[in-house]
């Protein structure tokens, strides 16, 4: 494991925007949350981010239709074995009965929190009236939330966008339904589905959500710096901050945010290349073990693209490392590249 990369002292205090928070009966050491991201927040990446101080992580979403759980991809997403900390599973679908059954099965597999996805903007998800498409049908939202909350004895949470489109922004109405349904925590991504990721996130809507939702409120969208955290918490009254795309290739972001929010001093923009190389090799080893050698090498490619993006000659490195077919080849190319980066810097 990554003992040498652990946070030794976050000095979390309630006087700061960095503080413990709760979801139902569970308390988390700090309110920096790793967002669930399909194809990214697998078990190796969740473990890595927790070692760098993420207070809470949520697994990749799985379909509520359990007939689809036979694929290797779904089985891996449902594999929580050996994972420390509170395990949160995210389910996606549009049928209240299927979602309730999926919630029960995830709890049987070890999940301690169930998160319902009503925020995914992907066309393949919205095409079957799931994800953020559900925001167009408030009565159905109510039936889904009631069914899932009644089905399990663990906290149920909900992740949404601010609405289907700017013209139909209805996050406060959904929040009211969530409150009445017994949802323990609500995460709001500051864009509508129509906006995808094409415009800056807005968090003004969260202030309106705060007025009607008394449970734990989590803000999400375009959060990458300590200043972002302070600004959004001050403006919205959110209890926690969820970080997604900014953490790709930067799992140490949680450590750096905690340090700056606590001390007011910004860490260096990037750790030393040799340190990053050692971290990457540890991450790669976990991917190879989790997926097997062949798929592990393939899965690692996107992570390597994110890890190297801020370094000189990153494009040439990606072209080369993407040709690697074995763990040994891939790891050797990583070590060579970052050794050269260390020489340059």
């Amino acid at each position: 494991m990554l003992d040498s990369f652990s946070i030794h002292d976050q000095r979390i205090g309630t006087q700061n925007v960095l503080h413990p928070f709760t979801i139902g009966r569970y308390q988390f050491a700090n309110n920096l949350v790793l967002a669930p991201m399909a194809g990214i927040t697998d078990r190796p990446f969740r473990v890595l981010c927790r070692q760098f101080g993420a207070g809470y992580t949520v697994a990749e979403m799985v379909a509520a239709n359990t007939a689809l759980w036979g694929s290797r991809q779904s089985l891996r997403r449902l594999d929580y074995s050996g994972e420390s900390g509170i395990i949160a599973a995210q389910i996606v679908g549009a049928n209240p009965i299927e979602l309730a059954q999926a919630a029960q099965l995830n709890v049987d597999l070890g999940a301690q929190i169930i998160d319902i996805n009503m925020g995914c903007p992907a066309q393949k998800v919205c095409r079957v009236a799931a994800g953020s498409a559900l925001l167009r049908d408030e009565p159905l939202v109510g039936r889904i939330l009631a069914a899932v909350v009644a089905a399990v004895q663990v906290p149920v949470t909900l992740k949404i966008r601010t609405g289907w489109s700017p013209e139909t922004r209805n996050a406060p109405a959904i929040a009211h339904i969530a409150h009445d349904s017994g949802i323990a925590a609500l995460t709001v991504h500051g864009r509508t589905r129509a906006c995808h990721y094409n415009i800056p996130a807005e968090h003004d809507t969260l202030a309106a959500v705060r007025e009607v939702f008394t449970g734990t409120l989590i803000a999400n969208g375009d959060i990458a710096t300590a200043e972002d955290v302070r600004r959004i918490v001050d403006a919205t009254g959110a209890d926690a901050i969820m970080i997604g795309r900014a953490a790709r290739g930067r799992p140490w972001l949680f450590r750096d945010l905690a340090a700056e929010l606590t001390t007011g001093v910004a860490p260096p923009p990037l750790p030393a290349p040799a340190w990053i190389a050692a971290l990457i090799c540890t991450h790669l080893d976990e991917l190879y073990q989790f997926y097997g050698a062949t798929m592990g090498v393939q899965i690692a490619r996107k992570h390597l693209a994110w890890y190297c993006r801020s370094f000189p000659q990153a494009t040439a490195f990606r072209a080369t490392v993407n040709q690697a077919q074995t763990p040994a080849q891939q790891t050797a190319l990583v070590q060579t590249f970052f050794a050269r980066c260390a020489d340059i810097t």
Side-chain angles (χ1 to χ4, degrees):
M1 304 306 289
L2 297 179
D3 293 339
S4 60
F5 301 114
S6 299
I7 294 180
H8 297 293
D9 181 15
Q10 292 185 28
R11 289 176 289 178
I12 298 167
T14 54
Q15 76 279 7
N16 200 293
V17 296
L18 185 72
H19 55 74
F21 81 110
T22 60
I23 295 178
R25 59 180 177 269
Y26 297 114
Q27 184 174 73
F28 301 91
N30 71 61
N31 55 344
L32 300 178
V33 179
L34 173 66
M37 293 179 282
I40 301 171
T41 53
D42 53 20
R43 193 175 73 193
F45 192 69
R46 294 196 303 274
V47 169
L48 188 60
C49 289
R50 280 200 297 269
Q51 289 177 334
F52 277 109
Y56 173 53
T57 66
V58 184
E60 302 171 85
M61 67 181 181
V62 293
N65 182 355
T66 56
L68 304 176
W69 286 12
S71 69
R72 286 189 300 171
Q73 181 185 57
S74 293
L75 291 174
R76 286 193 183 93
R77 290 183 176 185
L78 293 162
D79 181 2
Y80 311 121
S81 59
E83 191 167 352
S84 62
I86 302 302
I87 297 169
Q90 188 182 74
I91 55 177
V92 61
N95 183 303
I97 295 174
E98 287 184 350
L99 283 157
Q101 292 173 340
Q104 290 174 319
L105 289 170
N106 268 282
V107 171
D108 291 343
L109 291 169
Q112 295 157 286
I113 294 175
I114 297 295
D115 186 56
I116 304 172
N117 183 312
M118 294 189 187
C120 180
Q123 184 176 357
K124 67 179 181 180
V125 173
C126 292
R127 188 168 55 237
V128 294
S132 54
L134 285 167
L135 301 177
R136 298 177 295 181
D137 191 340
E138 293 176 14
L140 179 55
V141 169
R143 293 195 298 274
I144 288 172
L145 300 186
V148 176
V149 169
V152 293
Q153 300 300 310
V154 302
V156 177
T157 65
L158 175 64
K159 188 172 191 289
I160 66 172
R161 286 189 165 224
T162 55
W164 175 255
S165 68
E167 297 76 25
T168 59
R169 191 177 280 121
N170 63 338
I174 299 293
H176 185 77
I177 296 169
H179 176 270
D180 290 347
S181 301
I183 291 298
L186 176 63
T187 300
V188 182
H189 180 95
R191 296 181 179 91
T192 69
R193 191 271 174 177
C195 298
H196 287 267
Y197 299 97
N198 298 327
I199 65 170
E202 61 87 11
H203 296 281
D204 294 344
T205 303
L206 273 79
V209 168
R210 177 80 288 175
E211 293 296 318
V212 298
F213 186 77
T214 58
T216 297
L217 180 62
I218 305 173
N220 174 230
D222 289 355
I223 302 171
T225 68
E227 181 53 36
D228 292 335
V229 175
R230 293 189 192 98
R231 172 176 52 81
I232 292 166
V233 168
D234 288 346
T236 67
D239 301 293
I241 292 294
M242 179 174 279
I243 299 166
R245 292 178 298 162
R248 298 178 305 183
R250 294 174 64 200
W252 59 85
L253 177 62
F254 298 96
R255 178 202 63 183
D256 288 358
L257 288 176
E260 185 172 355
L261 290 168
T262 302
T263 66
V265 178
L270 278 175
W275 186 91
I276 295 177
L279 165 63
I280 292 173
C281 289
T282 301
H283 188 184
L284 293 181
D285 285 343
E286 294 297 323
L287 291 174
Y288 304 148
Q289 291 180 37
F290 187 66
Y291 291 102
T294 300
M295 185 169 288
V297 166
Q298 296 169 355
I299 295 291
R301 289 169 183 161
K302 59 191 168 189
H303 290 283
L304 292 175
W306 293 318
Y307 277 121
C308 75
R309 62 191 166 189
S310 298
F311 289 92
Q313 301 179 352
T315 301
F317 169 66
R318 287 196 302 270
T320 301
V321 78
N322 285 349
Q323 301 304 311
Q325 300 299 314
T326 68
Q329 291 171 346
Q330 197 172 55
T331 301
L333 288 168
V334 167
Q335 292 171 333
T336 299
F337 173 74
F338 282 96
R340 289 173 181 166
C341 290
D343 291 341
I344 293 172
T345 57

